[in-house]
Amino acid sequence: MRPSSTGKPSPPGDRAGAWPPCPFPLRHGSGTPPHAGPGTRHQDPPPHLDLIAGGTKTVGVRVGYPSMRKIHPGQLLVFESGDARYRARVTEVVECPGFDAMLDAEDLEAIGSEGMSRAELLAAYREIHPLEKERLGVLAIHLRLAP
């Protein structure tokens, strides 16, 4: 397990990570439609989904809500938008104290920056997530497309 930006590894029971940073809000679901197979569902807008499907976005970014902290290495996630569905396996989850630290620790292209600067990404995340949400921690969820 990779250490967090504080330099300390996350405790074994602490699941931290994030799906690819993208300036789009993502909803977490607890179920899976029968056609998608087992996994945790995430609704994603088409531009974000295209980056995941194309293998460009390999790190997801999420705020450390209790439901997001349940995500762990080996877990199967299903990303959906309309009729499009892609499955990805979580390979690692890294917890950071905030978006600033996450952007220092992660590859901007892997989080789906699409040419956005670090400052633009930080502004986009903070526009979506107010400071009280960011204080919950930020998860960088590393993904690999699954068959």
Side-chain angles (χ1 to χ4, degrees):
M1 177 179 285
R2 198 163 78 184
S4 70
S5 62
T6 63
K8 298 178 191 172
S10 299
D14 186 15
R15 303 292 185 197
W19 248 110
C22 185
F24 302 107
L26 304 173
R27 293 179 299 252
H28 181 268
S30 59
T32 321
H35 55 277
T40 301
R41 289 178 37 216
H42 290 261
Q43 297 291 324
D44 290 68
H48 184 191
L49 195 64
D50 292 345
L51 293 174
I52 294 168
T56 302
K57 186 172 181 68
T58 59
V59 177
V61 176
R62 296 290 190 269
V63 169
Y65 298 113
S67 61
M68 293 293 118
R69 291 181 176 283
K70 293 178 183 176
I71 295 174
H72 57 87
Q75 183 174 356
L76 182 67
L77 302 177
V78 178
F79 291 84
E80 302 179 323
S81 180
D83 291 336
R85 287 172 186 78
Y86 298 96
R87 295 160 32 114
R89 185 80 53 196
V90 176
T91 60
E92 180 180 23
V93 179
V94 178
E95 181 171 4
C96 298
F99 292 114
D100 201 39
M102 182 274 303
L103 291 170
D104 285 343
E106 299 296 334
D107 176 13
L108 299 184
E109 292 301 317
I111 60 172
S113 66
E114 291 193 288
M116 293 174 74
S117 71
R118 183 188 183 288
E120 290 169 325
L121 281 169
L122 183 59
Y125 280 119
R126 288 188 169 155
E127 182 177 326
I128 295 167
H129 304 287
L131 187 56
E132 63 268 13
K133 300 297 183 186
E134 185 175 354
R135 286 183 180 138
L136 296 172
V138 174
L139 306 175
I141 302 166
H142 293 247
L143 307 164
R144 179 177 32 88
L145 284 175

